[in-house]
Amino acid sequence: MYHPEIETKSQGEIQEIQLQRLIETVERVYNNVPFYKEKFDELNVKPSDIKSLEDLRKLPFTKKKDLRDNYPTGLFAVPMSDVVRIHGSSGTSGKPTIVGYTKKDIEIWSEIVARAITAAGGSSEDIFHNAYGYGLFTGGVGLHYGAEKLGAAVIPVSGGNTDRQVTLIQDFKPRGIAGTPSYILNVAEQMEKLKIKPETNGIEYGIFGAEPWTEEMRKTIEDKLKIKAVDIYGLSEVMGPGVAIECHEAQQGLHIAEDHFLVEIIDPETLELVPDGEDGELVITTLTKEALPVIRYRTGDITSLNRAKCVCGRTMARMARVKGRTDDMMIIRGVNVFPSEIERELLKIDKLAPFYQIHLLKKGNMDAVELQVEVNSSLYEEVGSNLQHPIVLQLKKQILHAIKNACLISVDVAIKAPMELPRFESKAIRLVDRRNEQREEVVK
Ligand code: DLL
């Protein structure tokens, strides 16, 4: 479902549509959401002050906390009778963030995802294996409706039960597959164990996202499954998957559905706009959402914008692969590090399996990092399951040096046997903060 009449519009034409829709959205939230009316009034802005896209800067930001404070439906702009679907994001602390959709929201979301799957190389003829979790999480159902809208035959397998996933893939030979990159690696690992040749799966393309991943991870997945892998981005507060997608032609940055979302990149400290090409926090204003429109939503995701024309012909601006979330950034002895920067180094080391966790600890008063990594099965066999073997100790040194050189931090490395680290069915937990746990132990 390629819509060149929209996807190849000039930037000027897109901006005209954006302005029209921004004006409508601002009217809608001011009149229907007391939270926004209050915020606008505090800043002394009226909807009629919004006359150009630059006027967006006059508007207040929205944060995840605002959704939590108005739990469950306080920010909805329509009565519950117009809502046809609820989703939510799990959140680490207590209550989920709840989001709602009208019938029209669902139609638009499905259309955007159908467009995204097409950009990824999919077509109406495909069988589409959907391993994103179904439920409150937007991944499963979001991809499902989009693939159906496209006309593909969807296998709604959800996450988990990896044996069954492998059987279904072997039996149906889906052309497309979707899931979190970390879970798809579990599927690939299971195939390796069963000695299934990737070429026999029939999969040609994969649509992976919902968590940060790296170019190195892309290469690993593409090599293991012999497919083309593209990155899909989204978040429940704004819609779900499909806010942006990489095209299979370039695989270089994710085209934002700019006819539905207006994006800014800001410095998370000063809140000022940063120039195209520079890293900052992604801020999104929805332009067509009815049930839960959001104004200048601070995603916490670090990326940059590229407005150059793409080889695929699409003119929609591209965002760089998300480096990480502001809250996942570690500050180790004054050095800022994202888990993805560590992943990039670990995946270059071919004796390691592509599974890892980063544990944050306290050493005295200082924060310290322990990297937990797994050796791959061929190395494990080579050293006769002895993780104290000189080859393994050498590997440990190699990891320490690689991280020191690339990330400028010193870490401890805990080498694990194959399958010793946890596997996840949805988003992988990369960062484990054990600093408080240790403090409690000391107090005891
Ligand atoms: O993860 C929606 C989604 C489902 C996206 C399936 C892609 C595929 P939430 O659970 O609300 O929604 O989590 C949103 O996940 O703010 C990012 O921090 C992270 N995230 C999503 N996609 C990517 C990606 C879904 N491609 C949060 N790369 C976002 C890096 C991503 N991080």
Side-chain angles (χ1 to χ4, degrees), residues 155-201:
I155 305 187
V157 59
S158 194
N161 205 340
T162 310
D163 279 339
R164 190 179 57 180
Q165 306 248 359
V166 173
T167 308
L168 284 168
I169 290 170
Q170 281 282 294
D171 292 348
F172 280 95
K173 314 272 179 233
R175 204 177 147 249
I177 188 167
T180 59
S182 54
Y183 183 65
I184 294 301
L185 270 182
N186 300 350
V187 175
E189 183 181 44
Q190 185 63 15
M191 287 175 178
E192 275 169 19
K193 260 194 225 148
L194 297 171
K195 306 215 175 333
I196 291 174
K197 288 211 170 69
E199 295 80 3
T200 65
N201 290 322

mmCIF file of all heavy atoms in Angstrom, residues 155-201:
data_model
loop_
_atom_site.group_PDB
_atom_site.id
_atom_site.type_symbol
_atom_site.label_atom_id
_atom_site.label_comp_id
_atom_site.label_asym_id
_atom_site.label_seq_id
_atom_site.Cartn_x
_atom_site.Cartn_y
_atom_site.Cartn_z
ATOM 1 N N ILE A 155 -0.556 -14.302 10.617
ATOM 2 C CA ILE A 155 -0.522 -15.369 11.622
ATOM 3 C C ILE A 155 -0.309 -14.680 12.974
ATOM 4 O O ILE A 155 0.790 -14.201 13.267
ATOM 5 C CB ILE A 155 0.590 -16.382 11.316
ATOM 6 C CG1 ILE A 155 0.383 -16.892 9.887
ATOM 7 C CG2 ILE A 155 0.607 -17.500 12.343
ATOM 8 C CD1 ILE A 155 1.277 -18.009 9.475
ATOM 9 N N PRO A 156 -1.358 -14.635 13.806
ATOM 10 C CA PRO A 156 -1.277 -13.840 15.048
ATOM 11 C C PRO A 156 -0.676 -14.649 16.190
ATOM 12 O O PRO A 156 -1.318 -14.926 17.189
ATOM 13 C CB PRO A 156 -2.749 -13.506 15.326
ATOM 14 C CG PRO A 156 -3.511 -14.658 14.740
ATOM 15 C CD PRO A 156 -2.697 -15.228 13.626
ATOM 16 N N VAL A 157 0.592 -15.019 16.033
ATOM 17 C CA VAL A 157 1.187 -15.988 16.957
ATOM 18 C C VAL A 157 1.559 -15.356 18.306
ATOM 19 O O VAL A 157 1.657 -16.038 19.305
ATOM 20 C CB VAL A 157 2.371 -16.704 16.272
ATOM 21 C CG1 VAL A 157 3.416 -15.713 15.840
ATOM 22 C CG2 VAL A 157 2.972 -17.761 17.136
ATOM 23 N N SER A 158 1.748 -14.009 18.327
ATOM 24 C CA SER A 158 2.142 -13.296 19.548
ATOM 25 C C SER A 158 3.550 -13.727 19.990
ATOM 26 O O SER A 158 4.202 -14.506 19.288
ATOM 27 C CB SER A 158 1.110 -13.564 20.650
ATOM 28 O OG SER A 158 1.288 -12.657 21.715
ATOM 29 N N GLY A 159 4.005 -13.253 21.142
ATOM 30 C CA GLY A 159 5.353 -13.618 21.596
ATOM 31 C C GLY A 159 5.321 -14.927 22.392
ATOM 32 O O GLY A 159 4.276 -15.310 22.901
ATOM 33 N N GLY A 160 6.456 -15.585 22.501
ATOM 34 C CA GLY A 160 6.541 -16.777 23.352
ATOM 35 C C GLY A 160 6.239 -18.074 22.622
ATOM 36 O O GLY A 160 5.900 -18.067 21.444
ATOM 37 N N ASN A 161 6.364 -19.182 23.362
ATOM 38 C CA ASN A 161 6.168 -20.517 22.789
ATOM 39 C C ASN A 161 6.994 -20.673 21.508
ATOM 40 O O ASN A 161 6.471 -20.925 20.408
ATOM 41 C CB ASN A 161 4.667 -20.741 22.518
ATOM 42 C CG ASN A 161 4.342 -22.222 22.535
ATOM 43 O OD1 ASN A 161 5.249 -23.052 22.368
ATOM 44 N ND2 ASN A 161 3.085 -22.560 22.726
ATOM 45 N N THR A 162 8.278 -20.534 21.695
ATOM 46 C CA THR A 162 9.192 -20.415 20.551
ATOM 47 C C THR A 162 9.188 -21.659 19.660
ATOM 48 O O THR A 162 9.293 -21.552 18.436
ATOM 49 C CB THR A 162 10.610 -20.088 21.074
ATOM 50 O OG1 THR A 162 10.470 -18.987 21.973
ATOM 51 C CG2 THR A 162 11.552 -19.688 19.975
ATOM 52 N N ASP A 163 9.027 -22.839 20.269
ATOM 53 C CA ASP A 163 8.955 -24.078 19.462
ATOM 54 C C ASP A 163 7.832 -23.994 18.443
ATOM 55 O O ASP A 163 8.001 -24.344 17.284
ATOM 56 C CB ASP A 163 8.644 -25.284 20.370
ATOM 57 C CG ASP A 163 9.912 -25.769 21.041
ATOM 58 O OD1 ASP A 163 10.997 -25.454 20.506
ATOM 59 O OD2 ASP A 163 9.808 -26.434 22.085
ATOM 60 N N ARG A 164 6.670 -23.519 18.947
ATOM 61 C CA ARG A 164 5.514 -23.449 18.058
ATOM 62 C C ARG A 164 5.749 -22.412 16.952
ATOM 63 O O ARG A 164 5.343 -22.599 15.815
ATOM 64 C CB ARG A 164 4.262 -23.077 18.862
ATOM 65 C CG ARG A 164 2.997 -23.218 18.034
ATOM 66 C CD ARG A 164 1.772 -22.875 18.823
ATOM 67 N NE ARG A 164 1.857 -21.515 19.365
ATOM 68 C CZ ARG A 164 0.910 -20.938 20.099
ATOM 69 N NH1 ARG A 164 -0.172 -21.613 20.413
ATOM 70 N NH2 ARG A 164 1.044 -19.710 20.542
ATOM 71 N N GLN A 165 6.438 -21.335 17.294
ATOM 72 C CA GLN A 165 6.745 -20.312 16.280
ATOM 73 C C GLN A 165 7.549 -20.942 15.143
ATOM 74 O O GLN A 165 7.280 -20.702 13.971
ATOM 75 C CB GLN A 165 7.591 -19.178 16.889
ATOM 76 C CG GLN A 165 7.013 -18.538 18.103
ATOM 77 C CD GLN A 165 6.576 -17.087 17.891
ATOM 78 O OE1 GLN A 165 6.731 -16.543 16.813
ATOM 79 N NE2 GLN A 165 5.999 -16.497 18.913
ATOM 80 N N VAL A 166 8.544 -21.750 15.544
ATOM 81 C CA VAL A 166 9.427 -22.345 14.534
ATOM 82 C C VAL A 166 8.615 -23.294 13.645
ATOM 83 O O VAL A 166 8.757 -23.283 12.410
ATOM 84 C CB VAL A 166 10.610 -23.068 15.219
ATOM 85 C CG1 VAL A 166 11.444 -23.845 14.200
ATOM 86 C CG2 VAL A 166 11.478 -22.063 15.962
ATOM 87 N N THR A 167 7.745 -24.087 14.257
ATOM 88 C CA THR A 167 6.915 -25.019 13.477
ATOM 89 C C THR A 167 6.039 -24.242 12.495
ATOM 90 O O THR A 167 5.951 -24.590 11.309
ATOM 91 C CB THR A 167 5.996 -25.827 14.424
ATOM 92 O OG1 THR A 167 6.816 -26.395 15.429
ATOM 93 C CG2 THR A 167 5.237 -26.897 13.678
ATOM 94 N N LEU A 168 5.399 -23.170 12.989
ATOM 95 C CA LEU A 168 4.506 -22.395 12.114
ATOM 96 C C LEU A 168 5.283 -21.785 10.950
ATOM 97 O O LEU A 168 4.814 -21.767 9.815
ATOM 98 C CB LEU A 168 3.809 -21.293 12.917
ATOM 99 C CG LEU A 168 2.667 -21.767 13.821
ATOM 100 C CD1 LEU A 168 2.247 -20.663 14.786
ATOM 101 C CD2 LEU A 168 1.474 -22.218 12.991
ATOM 102 N N ILE A 169 6.482 -21.303 11.250
ATOM 103 C CA ILE A 169 7.297 -20.701 10.183
ATOM 104 C C ILE A 169 7.643 -21.758 9.136
ATOM 105 O O ILE A 169 7.520 -21.539 7.929
ATOM 106 C CB ILE A 169 8.571 -20.052 10.770
ATOM 107 C CG1 ILE A 169 8.196 -18.806 11.573
ATOM 108 C CG2 ILE A 169 9.569 -19.701 9.670
ATOM 109 C CD1 ILE A 169 9.312 -18.204 12.402
ATOM 110 N N GLN A 170 8.032 -22.926 9.616
ATOM 111 C CA GLN A 170 8.386 -23.997 8.679
ATOM 112 C C GLN A 170 7.175 -24.427 7.847
ATOM 113 O O GLN A 170 7.292 -24.718 6.669
ATOM 114 C CB GLN A 170 8.944 -25.200 9.459
ATOM 115 C CG GLN A 170 10.393 -25.016 9.885
ATOM 116 C CD GLN A 170 11.350 -25.246 8.722
ATOM 117 O OE1 GLN A 170 11.455 -26.356 8.207
ATOM 118 N NE2 GLN A 170 12.044 -24.207 8.294
ATOM 119 N N ASP A 171 5.995 -24.445 8.465
ATOM 120 C CA ASP A 171 4.805 -24.934 7.766
ATOM 121 C C ASP A 171 4.208 -23.899 6.816
ATOM 122 O O ASP A 171 3.687 -24.238 5.769
ATOM 123 C CB ASP A 171 3.732 -25.371 8.774
ATOM 124 C CG ASP A 171 4.185 -26.610 9.544
ATOM 125 O OD1 ASP A 171 5.201 -27.216 9.125
ATOM 126 O OD2 ASP A 171 3.543 -26.964 10.550
ATOM 127 N N PHE A 172 4.266 -22.603 7.205
ATOM 128 C CA PHE A 172 3.609 -21.575 6.385
ATOM 129 C C PHE A 172 4.565 -20.815 5.467
ATOM 130 O O PHE A 172 4.134 -20.161 4.540
ATOM 131 C CB PHE A 172 2.873 -20.564 7.280
ATOM 132 C CG PHE A 172 1.539 -21.063 7.744
ATOM 133 C CD1 PHE A 172 1.401 -21.687 8.979
ATOM 134 C CD2 PHE A 172 0.420 -20.920 6.934
ATOM 135 C CE1 PHE A 172 0.173 -22.158 9.408
ATOM 136 C CE2 PHE A 172 -0.815 -21.384 7.359
ATOM 137 C CZ PHE A 172 -0.949 -22.007 8.595
ATOM 138 N N LYS A 173 5.858 -20.869 5.770
ATOM 139 C CA LYS A 173 6.845 -20.113 4.979
ATOM 140 C C LYS A 173 6.411 -18.652 4.790
ATOM 141 O O LYS A 173 6.204 -18.175 3.666
ATOM 142 C CB LYS A 173 7.054 -20.738 3.590
ATOM 143 C CG LYS A 173 7.223 -22.242 3.578
ATOM 144 C CD LYS A 173 8.678 -22.617 3.765
ATOM 145 C CE LYS A 173 8.883 -24.115 3.771
ATOM 146 N NZ LYS A 173 9.615 -24.608 4.926
ATOM 147 N N PRO A 174 6.211 -17.912 5.900
ATOM 148 C CA PRO A 174 5.759 -16.524 5.759
ATOM 149 C C PRO A 174 6.824 -15.686 5.052
ATOM 150 O O PRO A 174 8.017 -15.911 5.254
ATOM 151 C CB PRO A 174 5.607 -16.066 7.212
ATOM 152 C CG PRO A 174 6.533 -16.938 7.984
ATOM 153 C CD PRO A 174 6.533 -18.268 7.295
ATOM 154 N N ARG A 175 6.381 -14.740 4.232
ATOM 155 C CA ARG A 175 7.365 -13.860 3.577
ATOM 156 C C ARG A 175 7.823 -12.775 4.537
ATOM 157 O O ARG A 175 8.951 -12.301 4.479
ATOM 158 C CB ARG A 175 6.719 -13.223 2.338
ATOM 159 C CG ARG A 175 7.738 -12.813 1.338
ATOM 160 C CD ARG A 175 7.158 -12.256 0.064
ATOM 161 N NE ARG A 175 8.102 -11.253 -0.373
ATOM 162 C CZ ARG A 175 7.896 -9.956 -0.383
ATOM 163 N NH1 ARG A 175 6.720 -9.456 -0.055
ATOM 164 N NH2 ARG A 175 8.853 -9.143 -0.743
ATOM 165 N N GLY A 176 6.928 -12.379 5.462
ATOM 166 C CA GLY A 176 7.279 -11.323 6.403
ATOM 167 C C GLY A 176 7.178 -11.798 7.843
ATOM 168 O O GLY A 176 6.364 -12.671 8.165
ATOM 169 N N ILE A 177 8.032 -11.221 8.679
ATOM 170 C CA ILE A 177 7.980 -11.568 10.107
ATOM 171 C C ILE A 177 8.139 -10.271 10.911
ATOM 172 O O ILE A 177 8.808 -9.334 10.452
ATOM 173 C CB ILE A 177 9.082 -12.605 10.474
ATOM 174 C CG1 ILE A 177 8.900 -13.105 11.911
ATOM 175 C CG2 ILE A 177 10.476 -12.037 10.286
ATOM 176 C CD1 ILE A 177 9.727 -14.333 12.235
ATOM 177 N N ALA A 178 7.497 -10.225 12.082
ATOM 178 C CA ALA A 178 7.635 -9.030 12.922
ATOM 179 C C ALA A 178 7.757 -9.455 14.372
ATOM 180 O O ALA A 178 7.187 -10.470 14.786
ATOM 181 C CB ALA A 178 6.416 -8.126 12.741
ATOM 182 N N GLY A 179 8.512 -8.690 15.142
ATOM 183 C CA GLY A 179 8.693 -8.980 16.566
ATOM 184 C C GLY A 179 9.770 -8.069 17.118
ATOM 185 O O GLY A 179 10.364 -7.281 16.358
ATOM 186 N N THR A 180 10.008 -8.145 18.413
ATOM 187 C CA THR A 180 11.127 -7.360 18.926
ATOM 188 C C THR A 180 12.414 -8.041 18.434
ATOM 189 O O THR A 180 12.460 -9.271 18.333
ATOM 190 C CB THR A 180 11.144 -7.310 20.468
ATOM 191 O OG1 THR A 180 11.237 -8.645 20.971
ATOM 192 C CG2 THR A 180 9.896 -6.656 21.031
ATOM 193 N N PRO A 181 13.444 -7.258 18.146
ATOM 194 C CA PRO A 181 14.689 -7.872 17.656
ATOM 195 C C PRO A 181 15.218 -8.918 18.635
ATOM 196 O O PRO A 181 15.707 -9.978 18.214
ATOM 197 C CB PRO A 181 15.649 -6.700 17.515
ATOM 198 C CG PRO A 181 14.909 -5.464 17.879
ATOM 199 C CD PRO A 181 13.499 -5.794 18.180
ATOM 200 N N SER A 182 15.086 -8.645 19.937
ATOM 201 C CA SER A 182 15.632 -9.604 20.907
ATOM 202 C C SER A 182 14.832 -10.911 20.874
ATOM 203 O O SER A 182 15.407 -11.991 20.998
ATOM 204 C CB SER A 182 15.638 -9.010 22.320
ATOM 205 O OG SER A 182 14.351 -8.561 22.671
ATOM 206 N N TYR A 183 13.511 -10.827 20.688
ATOM 207 C CA TYR A 183 12.749 -12.081 20.647
ATOM 208 C C TYR A 183 13.010 -12.850 19.355
ATOM 209 O O TYR A 183 13.124 -14.079 19.366
ATOM 210 C CB TYR A 183 11.236 -11.845 20.832
ATOM 211 C CG TYR A 183 10.531 -13.178 20.847
ATOM 212 C CD1 TYR A 183 10.780 -14.088 21.879
ATOM 213 C CD2 TYR A 183 9.713 -13.576 19.807
ATOM 214 C CE1 TYR A 183 10.224 -15.357 21.875
ATOM 215 C CE2 TYR A 183 9.142 -14.842 19.797
ATOM 216 C CZ TYR A 183 9.404 -15.728 20.830
ATOM 217 O OH TYR A 183 8.861 -16.988 20.815
ATOM 218 N N ILE A 184 13.156 -12.132 18.253
ATOM 219 C CA ILE A 184 13.420 -12.810 16.978
ATOM 220 C C ILE A 184 14.759 -13.550 17.047
ATOM 221 O O ILE A 184 14.926 -14.618 16.453
ATOM 222 C CB ILE A 184 13.381 -11.789 15.812
ATOM 223 C CG1 ILE A 184 11.953 -11.247 15.667
ATOM 224 C CG2 ILE A 184 13.886 -12.380 14.507
ATOM 225 C CD1 ILE A 184 10.846 -12.264 15.398
ATOM 226 N N LEU A 185 15.695 -13.023 17.830
ATOM 227 C CA LEU A 185 16.961 -13.743 18.019
ATOM 228 C C LEU A 185 16.732 -15.059 18.746
ATOM 229 O O LEU A 185 17.418 -16.057 18.495
ATOM 230 C CB LEU A 185 17.935 -12.895 18.830
ATOM 231 C CG LEU A 185 18.844 -11.972 18.054
ATOM 232 C CD1 LEU A 185 19.764 -11.250 19.020
ATOM 233 C CD2 LEU A 185 19.673 -12.732 17.024
ATOM 234 N N ASN A 186 15.772 -15.073 19.677
ATOM 235 C CA ASN A 186 15.452 -16.334 20.356
ATOM 236 C C ASN A 186 14.898 -17.347 19.356
ATOM 237 O O ASN A 186 15.208 -18.537 19.426
ATOM 238 C CB ASN A 186 14.387 -16.145 21.448
ATOM 239 C CG ASN A 186 14.814 -15.186 22.529
ATOM 240 O OD1 ASN A 186 15.978 -14.782 22.582
ATOM 241 N ND2 ASN A 186 13.892 -14.809 23.392
ATOM 242 N N VAL A 187 14.065 -16.856 18.435
ATOM 243 C CA VAL A 187 13.499 -17.749 17.415
ATOM 244 C C VAL A 187 14.644 -18.292 16.544
ATOM 245 O O VAL A 187 14.718 -19.493 16.265
ATOM 246 C CB VAL A 187 12.445 -16.992 16.553
ATOM 247 C CG1 VAL A 187 11.932 -17.871 15.423
ATOM 248 C CG2 VAL A 187 11.287 -16.512 17.425
ATOM 249 N N ALA A 188 15.553 -17.404 16.170
ATOM 250 C CA ALA A 188 16.687 -17.825 15.332
ATOM 251 C C ALA A 188 17.555 -18.845 16.083
ATOM 252 O O ALA A 188 18.033 -19.831 15.504
ATOM 253 C CB ALA A 188 17.520 -16.616 14.936
ATOM 254 N N GLU A 189 17.723 -18.611 17.381
ATOM 255 C CA GLU A 189 18.536 -19.514 18.204
ATOM 256 C C GLU A 189 17.905 -20.910 18.240
ATOM 257 O O GLU A 189 18.583 -21.928 18.119
ATOM 258 C CB GLU A 189 18.603 -18.934 19.623
ATOM 259 C CG GLU A 189 19.473 -19.708 20.590
ATOM 260 C CD GLU A 189 19.458 -19.082 21.995
ATOM 261 O OE1 GLU A 189 18.362 -18.707 22.477
ATOM 262 O OE2 GLU A 189 20.527 -18.995 22.600
ATOM 263 N N GLN A 190 16.573 -20.932 18.361
ATOM 264 C CA GLN A 190 15.865 -22.199 18.400
ATOM 265 C C GLN A 190 16.006 -22.940 17.062
ATOM 266 O O GLN A 190 16.190 -24.151 17.027
ATOM 267 C CB GLN A 190 14.386 -21.924 18.722
ATOM 268 C CG GLN A 190 13.516 -23.140 18.918
ATOM 269 C CD GLN A 190 13.968 -23.973 20.119
ATOM 270 O OE1 GLN A 190 14.746 -23.510 20.960
ATOM 271 N NE2 GLN A 190 13.521 -25.215 20.173
ATOM 272 N N MET A 191 15.983 -22.187 15.983
ATOM 273 C CA MET A 191 16.153 -22.816 14.657
ATOM 274 C C MET A 191 17.547 -23.420 14.530
ATOM 275 O O MET A 191 17.718 -24.496 13.982
ATOM 276 C CB MET A 191 15.950 -21.775 13.558
ATOM 277 C CG MET A 191 14.511 -21.387 13.381
ATOM 278 S SD MET A 191 14.411 -20.055 12.180
ATOM 279 C CE MET A 191 12.644 -19.838 12.128
ATOM 280 N N GLU A 192 18.534 -22.675 15.062
ATOM 281 C CA GLU A 192 19.910 -23.191 15.002
ATOM 282 C C GLU A 192 19.996 -24.502 15.756
ATOM 283 O O GLU A 192 20.608 -25.470 15.298
ATOM 284 C CB GLU A 192 20.888 -22.190 15.633
ATOM 285 C CG GLU A 192 21.338 -21.128 14.678
ATOM 286 C CD GLU A 192 22.100 -19.997 15.374
ATOM 287 O OE1 GLU A 192 22.585 -20.181 16.518
ATOM 288 O OE2 GLU A 192 22.194 -18.910 14.772
ATOM 289 N N LYS A 193 19.358 -24.523 16.942
ATOM 290 C CA LYS A 193 19.383 -25.746 17.761
ATOM 291 C C LYS A 193 18.768 -26.916 17.016
ATOM 292 O O LYS A 193 19.224 -28.044 17.119
ATOM 293 C CB LYS A 193 18.584 -25.516 19.053
ATOM 294 C CG LYS A 193 19.458 -25.210 20.220
ATOM 295 C CD LYS A 193 18.663 -25.333 21.490
ATOM 296 C CE LYS A 193 18.967 -24.153 22.364
ATOM 297 N NZ LYS A 193 17.870 -23.732 23.192
ATOM 298 N N LEU A 194 17.705 -26.628 16.275
ATOM 299 C CA LEU A 194 17.005 -27.686 15.546
ATOM 300 C C LEU A 194 17.649 -27.956 14.180
ATOM 301 O O LEU A 194 17.135 -28.726 13.384
ATOM 302 C CB LEU A 194 15.532 -27.312 15.367
ATOM 303 C CG LEU A 194 14.716 -27.172 16.647
ATOM 304 C CD1 LEU A 194 13.338 -26.581 16.361
ATOM 305 C CD2 LEU A 194 14.571 -28.520 17.360
ATOM 306 N N LYS A 195 18.774 -27.258 13.951
ATOM 307 C CA LYS A 195 19.525 -27.403 12.690
ATOM 308 C C LYS A 195 18.667 -27.112 11.459
ATOM 309 O O LYS A 195 18.763 -27.765 10.418
ATOM 310 C CB LYS A 195 20.164 -28.796 12.584
ATOM 311 C CG LYS A 195 21.037 -29.178 13.766
ATOM 312 C CD LYS A 195 22.215 -30.002 13.353
ATOM 313 C CE LYS A 195 23.211 -30.332 14.440
ATOM 314 N NZ LYS A 195 23.342 -29.425 15.568
ATOM 315 N N ILE A 196 17.798 -26.120 11.607
ATOM 316 C CA ILE A 196 16.965 -25.706 10.472
ATOM 317 C C ILE A 196 17.742 -24.689 9.663
ATOM 318 O O ILE A 196 18.259 -23.706 10.209
ATOM 319 C CB ILE A 196 15.643 -25.088 10.985
ATOM 320 C CG1 ILE A 196 14.787 -26.180 11.615
ATOM 321 C CG2 ILE A 196 14.896 -24.368 9.866
ATOM 322 C CD1 ILE A 196 13.526 -25.671 12.273
ATOM 323 N N LYS A 197 17.840 -24.926 8.368
ATOM 324 C CA LYS A 197 18.561 -23.965 7.517
ATOM 325 C C LYS A 197 17.666 -22.753 7.282
ATOM 326 O O LYS A 197 16.520 -22.896 6.868
ATOM 327 C CB LYS A 197 18.883 -24.614 6.168
ATOM 328 C CG LYS A 197 19.955 -25.673 6.232
ATOM 329 C CD LYS A 197 20.714 -25.684 4.885
ATOM 330 C CE LYS A 197 21.949 -26.531 4.956
ATOM 331 N NZ LYS A 197 21.638 -27.965 5.086
ATOM 332 N N PRO A 198 18.198 -21.540 7.513
ATOM 333 C CA PRO A 198 17.344 -20.349 7.377
ATOM 334 C C PRO A 198 16.702 -20.230 5.997
ATOM 335 O O PRO A 198 15.586 -19.744 5.866
ATOM 336 C CB PRO A 198 18.294 -19.184 7.654
ATOM 337 C CG PRO A 198 19.664 -19.743 7.704
ATOM 338 C CD PRO A 198 19.554 -21.203 7.955
ATOM 339 N N GLU A 199 17.403 -20.702 4.973
ATOM 340 C CA GLU A 199 16.867 -20.581 3.604
ATOM 341 C C GLU A 199 15.555 -21.342 3.446
ATOM 342 O O GLU A 199 14.767 -21.065 2.546
ATOM 343 C CB GLU A 199 17.864 -21.137 2.564
ATOM 344 C CG GLU A 199 19.165 -20.384 2.441
ATOM 345 C CD GLU A 199 20.169 -20.730 3.540
ATOM 346 O OE1 GLU A 199 19.873 -21.617 4.373
ATOM 347 O OE2 GLU A 199 21.238 -20.094 3.571
ATOM 348 N N THR A 200 15.316 -22.321 4.336
ATOM 349 C CA THR A 200 14.105 -23.139 4.176
ATOM 350 C C THR A 200 12.876 -22.471 4.799
ATOM 351 O O THR A 200 11.780 -23.011 4.739
ATOM 352 C CB THR A 200 14.281 -24.529 4.829
ATOM 353 O OG1 THR A 200 14.417 -24.330 6.248
ATOM 354 C CG2 THR A 200 15.488 -25.260 4.297
ATOM 355 N N ASN A 201 13.072 -21.291 5.436
ATOM 356 C CA ASN A 201 11.945 -20.640 6.116
ATOM 357 C C ASN A 201 11.064 -19.820 5.187
ATOM 358 O O ASN A 201 9.911 -19.557 5.509
ATOM 359 C CB ASN A 201 12.460 -19.682 7.197
ATOM 360 C CG ASN A 201 13.069 -20.427 8.360
ATOM 361 O OD1 ASN A 201 12.563 -21.469 8.739
ATOM 362 N ND2 ASN A 201 14.144 -19.896 8.904
#
